[in-house]
Amino acid sequence: MITHAVIFAPIGQASRSDQIVQRLSNAIITGLLEPHEQLPNETDLARMMGVSHITIREALNTLRANALIHTVRGRNGGSFVCENVSNSGSNLHPFKSISTDYLADLGEMHSAVISHSARLASRRMTEADLNRLREFIELLKTADTRELRTQADMRCLLAIAASSQSARLANQELQLQAEWASLVAALYRSDEIHREIIALYVELADALAAHSEAASVKAAIRIIETFTSYLIEKKMNYHSD
């Protein structure tokens, strides 16, 4: 699943266990990793996230201490997402610890990547690329849960980045989504936001189909700016009980 490809993407050799804890905590608390879902084993996690076994073990121990995962021993054992994390995870919710300035900065960075991807895609996108993007937009239209909506949205963004035919842009988009996905998942509880974002993606797809560079860049920026505006609003209105 594309969601898991983002959640478990490499985080870099300079990262520490607290960064893994933050990413996985966000994914659990916002529902991208569902209750009772089994995490990859320590060996696979270390390989997927590009860190040592010791770092993974430290991160998993912290997640267990925060009552976000539990471990089952035996043949069918492993680490599983806890069923009720709303109370234990309230102090770890991304909207509690993240600042509005950070969200604005993240949005600006994401806007730069997606707008430039759209600029290049308007010149380089093939008919197959465009059809793939429209398929992902249709998936977004029919998605009825925040997890499915988030997954479809990430596919749309990755499709745009990939259509730029720039491996660096596509890789940068994948890295950004490790932070972006869990935040967007919280927004996709709203059907109104869901409908608004769909309309923006349709506008972007039409601009790309017309090979209009200016319109494509404008539509891409509007998508990220709309998300960023809602994220900042949600942060400002966030209250933990």
Side-chain angles (χ1 to χ4, degrees):
M1 292 175 62
I2 191 68
T3 305
H4 294 84
V6 170
I7 292 169
F8 302 121
I11 61 174
Q13 292 298 325
S15 299
R16 296 290 186 264
S17 63
D18 57 347
Q19 292 176 291
I20 299 174
V21 169
Q22 187 65 54
R23 184 188 294 183
L24 297 185
S25 295
N26 289 352
I28 292 169
I29 294 165
T30 57
L32 291 180
L33 290 174
E34 300 178 342
H36 308 297
E37 183 170 343
Q38 184 173 6
L39 301 182
N41 61 44
E42 289 186 10
T43 299
D44 289 340
L45 276 174
R47 174 182 53 80
M48 295 162 72
M49 304 185 84
V51 296
S52 69
H53 285 77
I54 294 175
T55 300
I56 288 295
R57 191 163 299 143
E58 289 176 354
L60 294 179
N61 286 338
T62 301
L63 291 171
R64 276 190 287 270
N66 290 333
L68 295 178
I69 66 170
H70 67 279
T71 299
V72 176
R73 304 296 179 186
R75 183 175 181 181
N76 297 317
S79 295
F80 297 83
V81 177
C82 291
E83 182 173 2
N84 298 311
V85 299
S86 57
N87 293 328
S88 60
S90 61
N91 291 328
L92 301 171
H93 196 285
F95 285 101
K96 181 177 178 65
S97 59
I98 208 167
S99 69
T100 55
D101 286 343
Y102 185 88
L103 289 171
D105 186 63
L106 179 63
E108 288 173 1
M109 179 63 180
H110 205 173
S111 181
V113 171
I114 286 299
S115 63
H116 192 54
S117 294
R119 185 189 308 279
L120 295 177
S122 69
R123 309 171 192 167
R124 303 172 177 177
M125 189 175 232
T126 66
E127 191 67 25
D129 292 335
L130 182 60
N131 289 338
R132 188 177 302 109
L133 175 59
R134 291 197 187 278
E135 287 175 6
F136 292 153
I137 294 172
E138 286 300 315
L139 286 176
L140 180 58
K141 286 181 180 179
T142 59
D144 57 2
T145 68
R146 62 178 180 171
E147 198 278 338
L148 290 175
R149 290 171 179 177
T150 302
Q151 179 177 326
D153 189 281
M154 288 191 292
R155 285 179 171 178
C156 290
L157 292 172
L158 286 171
I160 295 163
S163 296
S164 72
Q165 297 183 26
S166 167
R168 288 183 180 274
L169 282 173
N171 184 61
Q172 188 63 55
E173 173 58 25
L174 185 62
Q175 291 183 43
L176 281 168
Q177 285 191 5
E179 292 181 84
W180 191 254
S182 59
L183 299 172
V184 166
L187 297 181
Y188 269 132
R189 292 177 181 271
S190 167
D191 292 337
E192 182 178 351
I193 292 176
H194 180 220
R195 289 190 293 269
E196 183 176 355
I197 295 299
I198 289 169
L200 293 175
Y201 272 120
V202 170
E203 179 182 336
L204 174 56
D206 290 343
L208 290 169
H211 301 289
S212 173
E213 181 177 316
S216 297
V217 170
K218 182 179 179 180
I221 290 174
R222 283 187 64 199
I223 290 172
I224 303 302
E225 286 187 344
T226 298
F227 272 129
T228 303
S229 178
Y230 279 124
L231 288 172
I232 291 174
E233 179 183 354
K234 189 169 185 67
K235 163 60 183 177
M236 294 177 68
N237 293 328
Y238 175 74
H239 299 284
S240 60
D241 298 325

